[in-house]
Amino acid sequence: MNALELEGVTKEHAGSPPVVALTDVTLTVEAGEFIAVTGPSGSGKSTLLAIAGTLERPTTGTVRVAGTAVEGMSDADLSGVRSHGLGFVFQQFHLLPTRSVLHNVADGLLYRGVSAAQRLERAAAAVHAVGLSHREGHRPGELSGGECQRTAIARALVGEPALLLADEPTGNLDSATGAEIFALLGRLHDRGTTILLVTHNEELAADSPRAVSLRDGRIERDERRS
């Protein structure tokens, strides 16, 4: 089963005239893939990720997450899809400053009907997966930017989503730390995580197994690398 399918997706924003962010985009993300999406500012990268994550609805076209068509769902049902099938990592870390690394990650399971003990157990495993077990009791203010992003990635992974969506996850980091985060995503992919990454960093995208380039709301290039 594919992790994500976009078929003939167009997105228009209201205006006079309307602003067309995406035009007839068709993209399939197979389970186990790592795709980097690049393109200049205004090319539609963030809109593509928002539609893939069910945060926005397409004007026309079909969106399937793990085989389920989502465009006709209610907001409540879409929230369920996000909670159970998708993990999100953003440029901003969105960590609670009063909560430890472990509890920030465990909070990713709050709406999954998981007991407190199970949340902490699974959070500890996710924290270990991103190499932060030695920092699990620390709060975000005591962490470096790279450690905060590792925490955010662990929180996105703790629910074992079908697809991890990352929107400029290295954008607020220096180049060395950004490369470390990209390498971490690569290791997680090697372990089976499916990743769709939006980045302005062409050098990092060049190292990904598949690169999709957008321009003016259309897919300009789609390359798979050995």
Side-chain angles (χ1 to χ4, degrees):
M1 181 184 299
N2 294 319
L4 174 71
E5 296 169 82
L6 306 181
E7 186 176 333
V9 166
T10 293
K11 177 63 178 181
E12 293 185 1
H13 297 290
S16 183
V19 176
V20 181
L22 293 176
T23 302
D24 195 27
V25 169
T26 294
L27 177 69
T28 297
V29 181
E30 298 176 5
E33 279 201 291
F34 186 144
I35 302 177
V37 179
T38 63
S41 178
S43 61
K45 301 188 303 297
S46 293
T47 300
L48 174 67
L49 204 73
I51 288 175
T54 74
L55 299 171
E56 291 188 24
R57 298 176 186 264
T59 305
T60 59
T62 299
V63 179
R64 298 183 186 90
V65 177
T68 300
V70 302
E71 62 269 12
M73 287 186 174
S74 67
D75 289 342
D77 287 340
L78 285 177
S79 180
V81 169
R82 288 192 292 272
S83 175
H84 289 83
L86 299 170
F88 295 88
V89 179
F90 300 101
Q91 185 172 339
Q92 304 294 334
F93 313 127
H94 300 300
L95 302 176
L96 294 176
T98 60
R99 304 279 278 171
S100 68
V101 166
L102 184 66
H103 283 89
N104 263 288
V105 174
D107 286 350
L109 294 170
L110 277 176
Y111 304 105
R112 298 286 295 271
V114 179
S115 70
Q118 287 179 316
R119 289 201 301 270
L120 291 175
E121 181 179 346
R122 291 173 62 175
V127 170
H128 177 74
V130 301
L132 275 186
S133 293
H134 64 298
R135 302 287 271 169
E136 69 176 22
H138 292 255
R139 296 179 181 180
E142 302 170 306
L143 305 177
S144 68
E147 288 171 334
C148 284
Q149 193 60 289
R150 285 173 180 265
T151 302
I153 291 170
R155 181 183 56 197
L157 291 174
V158 70
E160 300 179 349
L163 177 63
L164 178 67
L165 299 166
D167 189 4
E168 299 282 9
T170 66
N172 277 344
L173 305 173
D174 62 75
S175 57
T177 305
E180 291 175 2
I181 292 299
F182 193 82
L184 169 63
L185 292 172
R187 291 193 296 274
L188 294 170
H189 167 248
D190 289 342
R191 298 174 196 169
T193 302
T194 307
I195 299 172
L196 182 63
L197 163 77
V198 162
T199 180
H200 68 280
N201 191 318
E202 296 283 353
E203 291 182 8
L204 292 181
D207 291 331
S208 63
R210 183 179 171 193
V212 173
S213 177
L214 293 179
R215 183 174 294 275
D216 299 329
R218 298 178 182 270
I219 293 180
E220 181 180 53
R221 188 172 66 254
D222 186 347
E223 298 178 340
R224 284 180 169 86
R225 303 182 176 96
S226 57

